[in-house]
Amino acid sequence: MSNLYYIFLLIHSWNRWIVLIAALVLFTSLIITLSKRAQNNKAIKISSITFLSSVHFQLLVGIILYFFLSPYTQIAFNDFGSAMGNSELRFWAIEHTLLNLIGITLIQVGYSKSKKTVNDRANQKTLLMWMGLGFILIILAIPMGLMSAERPWMRF
């Protein structure tokens, strides 16, 4: 394993926790604000931007791993047909990547749509729906054994 691959894998692994914490803060703020019919626009704006930024950073690091550094995707690219028969290679080459891309796209769409809403409540509902759907897909794509691959929860 090359040093550069390990460094990027470490960054990708640790940033996952930033994504999860940012999502937890955002969804907690949204649910509390919606249930109390309160206005908490500043906290929601900051937490939604933090969540969006962290998933974009995760995407950038993931793209570098996917196309340039990961031995799993390099093996899959060499023989894509047989890689589809191997559940672990298929997870890294297709499932992990596709679910995360769709999830990040939904999160971005939700953020963009929320900026065009007419009132705070509609903004909060839009964020909760779109970012929530995207986050569910991201959770499914984390290699923690829900699908075929499992990796350490913390890397050092």
Side-chain angles (χ1 to χ4, degrees):
M1 182 178 339
S2 76
N3 287 339
L4 195 55
Y5 170 69
Y6 182 73
I7 290 168
F8 273 82
L9 189 61
L10 194 66
I11 292 168
H12 196 62
S13 180
W14 278 90
N15 190 60
R16 155 185 49 186
W17 294 103
I18 295 171
V19 170
L20 293 173
I21 291 167
L24 180 67
V25 169
L26 172 63
F27 296 132
T28 302
S29 297
L30 284 169
I31 291 167
I32 289 171
T33 303
L34 281 168
S35 66
K36 292 185 176 181
R37 296 188 180 269
Q39 288 191 353
N40 194 7
N41 293 335
K42 187 173 182 180
I44 289 173
K45 183 174 184 176
I46 291 169
S47 58
S48 64
I49 290 172
T50 302
F51 180 52
L52 181 68
S53 300
S54 65
V55 296
H56 281 191
F57 181 71
Q58 191 75 341
L59 175 64
L60 177 65
V61 174
I63 287 172
I64 293 168
L65 284 167
Y66 186 80
F67 286 109
F68 304 108
L69 300 174
S70 173
Y72 293 102
T73 54
Q74 298 308 314
I75 292 168
F77 290 158
N78 287 335
D79 187 3
F80 219 71
S82 67
M84 293 303 103
N86 180 320
S87 62
E88 188 169 4
L89 287 178
R90 184 181 60 244
F91 175 79
W92 294 115
I94 301 293
E95 297 162 1
H96 178 73
T97 307
L98 192 59
L99 282 173
N100 277 305
L101 282 173
I102 294 169
I104 292 168
T105 301
L106 290 173
I107 290 166
Q108 181 62 58
V109 166
Y111 183 77
S112 298
K113 281 184 164 292
S114 75
K115 293 185 345 185
K116 297 175 184 173
T117 56
V118 293
N119 62 47
D120 293 339
R121 192 152 175 83
N123 172 288
Q124 295 157 1
K125 285 181 178 180
T126 301
L127 284 173
L128 186 60
M129 182 182 74
W130 287 92
M131 290 189 164
L133 288 173
F135 183 65
I136 289 168
L137 291 178
I138 288 173
I139 289 293
L140 290 173
I142 293 175
M144 59 183 174
L146 290 177
M147 296 182 83
S148 59
E150 188 169 4
R151 291 291 180 267
W153 286 51
M154 303 293 268
R155 289 186 189 269
F156 298 97

